[in-house]
């Protein structure tokens, strides 16, 4: 049984600010206990509480504190910015509990913003092609998805959208369908008020968002099931 999520520590965001200021391994090691108590361990509780709630709701998303959390350390091998630590902590819940699947739930707690997402994020070429084909050849299903999301106060994220039609989709001229075929991913987001991360009500907020985003999960899973 997972430990119930009772909120992040009051020093969670100040800790991220201090870590970003120092960007020092020595400073981090001196404050590791505080990082674990205020941020990492509560995040683990949140993941496992959400996993239980998502399972009960039939969302097909799960995770745990060992597999789902991303490291606070940055991968700087090919980056110009060699700062060793991220300005945020994040996690993924997925169909199999790993970070390798598509159709996932994402949580991000950071200095610039806090948000959650449900996404088919940069899917592989075969799945992305299948999704674009679904938009172009079954427009009724796609428009029904858009209607459901709008009813649920959500809309597709336009970040990273191509400026021109991808090859093979130049014939799609209806504005809503043409825009969708230019997507590199299919995702919706929910902004989290940073003031709301310190209490257990965050769980209900995120479960509500995941349920509102379920039409996108269902649409993508139906397409994924047809891709070899």
């Amino acid at each position: 049984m997972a430990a119930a999520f009772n909120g992040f520590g009051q020093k969670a965001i100040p800790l991220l600010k201090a870590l970003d200021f120092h960007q020092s391994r020595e400073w981090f090691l001196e404050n590791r206990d505080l990082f674990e108590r205020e941020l990492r361990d509560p995040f683990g509780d949140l993941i496992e509480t959400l996993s239980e709630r998502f399972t009960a709701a039939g969302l097909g998303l799960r995770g745990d504190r060992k597999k789902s959390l991303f490291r606070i350390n940055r991968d700087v091998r090919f980056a110009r910015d060699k700062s060793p630590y991220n300005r945020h902590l994040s996690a993924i819940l997925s169909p199999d509990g790993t970070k390798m699947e598509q159709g996932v739930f994402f949580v991000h707690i950071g200095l610039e913003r806090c948000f959650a997402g449900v996404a088919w994020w940069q899917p592989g070429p075969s799945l992305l092609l299948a999704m674009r084909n679904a938009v172009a050849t079954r427009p009724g299903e796609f428009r029904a998805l858009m209607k459901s999301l709008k009813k649920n106060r959500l809309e597709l994220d336009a970040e990273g959208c191509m400026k021109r039609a991808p090859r093979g989709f130049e014939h799609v001229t209806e504005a809503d369908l043409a825009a969708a075929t230019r997507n590199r991913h299919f995702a919706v987001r929910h902004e989290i008020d940073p003031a709301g991360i310190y209490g257990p009500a965050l769980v209900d907020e995120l479960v509500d968002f995941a349920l509102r985003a379920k039409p996108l999960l269902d649409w993508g899973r139906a397409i994924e099931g047809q891709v070899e």
Side-chain angles (χ1 to χ4, degrees), residues 48-107:
E48 295 183 351
T49 302
L50 286 174
S51 186
E52 291 182 356
R53 292 284 298 274
F54 288 170
T55 297
L59 287 169
L61 296 166
R62 60 190 175 92
D64 62 57
R65 65 183 66 240
K66 291 184 178 180
K67 295 180 181 178
S68 299
L69 269 171
F70 288 95
R71 299 177 66 205
I72 192 70
N73 305 74
R74 296 180 64 243
D75 184 351
V76 300
R77 289 175 298 174
F78 308 107
R80 291 183 180 179
D81 179 4
K82 299 300 182 181
S83 301
Y85 297 102
N86 285 310
R87 297 163 57 86
H88 63 269
L89 196 63
S90 56
I92 279 180
L93 290 88
S94 69
D96 69 352
T98 73
K99 302 186 184 80
M100 306 304 294
E101 289 280 296
Q102 282 290 336
V104 302
F105 183 93
F106 181 79
V107 186

Side-chain angles (χ1 to χ4, degrees), residues 20 87-88 108 110-114 194:
D20 184 53
R87 297 163 57 86
H88 63 269
H108 174 109
L111 293 183
E112 284 80 15
R113 60 193 295 211
C114 299

Side-chain angles (χ1 to χ4, degrees), residues 8-191:
F8 287 96
Q10 292 295 321
K11 296 180 180 178
I13 298 300
L15 178 68
L16 285 175
K17 290 181 179 178
L19 178 59
D20 184 53
F21 175 79
H22 290 280
Q23 286 294 344
S24 159
R25 183 174 183 272
E26 290 74 21
W27 186 92
F28 179 75
L29 292 177
E30 288 176 4
N31 292 273
R32 188 183 187 97
D33 290 345
L34 185 64
F35 166 76
E36 293 176 353
R37 183 174 68 250
E38 298 288 303
L39 193 58
R40 193 198 66 180
D41 291 349
F43 215 144
D45 294 340
L46 176 62
I47 292 164
E48 295 183 351
T49 302
L50 286 174
S51 186
E52 291 182 356
R53 292 284 298 274
F54 288 170
T55 297
L59 287 169
L61 296 166
R62 60 190 175 92
D64 62 57
R65 65 183 66 240
K66 291 184 178 180
K67 295 180 181 178
S68 299
L69 269 171
F70 288 95
R71 299 177 66 205
I72 192 70
N73 305 74
R74 296 180 64 243
D75 184 351
V76 300
R77 289 175 298 174
F78 308 107
R80 291 183 180 179
D81 179 4
K82 299 300 182 181
S83 301
Y85 297 102
N86 285 310
R87 297 163 57 86
H88 63 269
L89 196 63
S90 56
I92 279 180
L93 290 88
S94 69
D96 69 352
T98 73
K99 302 186 184 80
M100 306 304 294
E101 289 280 296
Q102 282 290 336
V104 302
F105 183 93
F106 181 79
V107 186
H108 174 109
I109 302 297
L111 293 183
E112 284 80 15
R113 60 193 295 211
C114 299
F115 68 91
V118 166
W120 303 83
W121 193 263
Q122 297 181 345
S126 296
L127 180 54
L128 180 58
L129 177 62
M131 288 179 153
R132 288 171 170 167
N133 278 328
V135 171
T137 63
R138 302 195 296 277
E141 292 180 10
F142 177 73
R143 285 171 171 150
L145 166 64
M146 293 298 97
K147 185 176 180 180
S148 295
L149 292 177
K150 184 176 181 180
K151 181 180 178 182
N152 293 343
R153 309 184 306 283
L154 297 171
E155 60 182 20
L156 284 183
D157 190 300
E159 181 181 333
C161 185
M162 298 174 65
K163 294 182 178 180
R164 297 182 180 181
R167 183 177 300 177
F169 292 89
E170 297 86 352
H171 65 285
V172 182
T173 57
E174 294 181 74
D176 59 333
L177 304 180
T181 62
R182 295 197 300 269
N183 283 341
R184 289 188 172 94
H185 56 257
F186 292 84
V188 291
R189 298 187 192 230
H190 167 76
E191 294 295 328

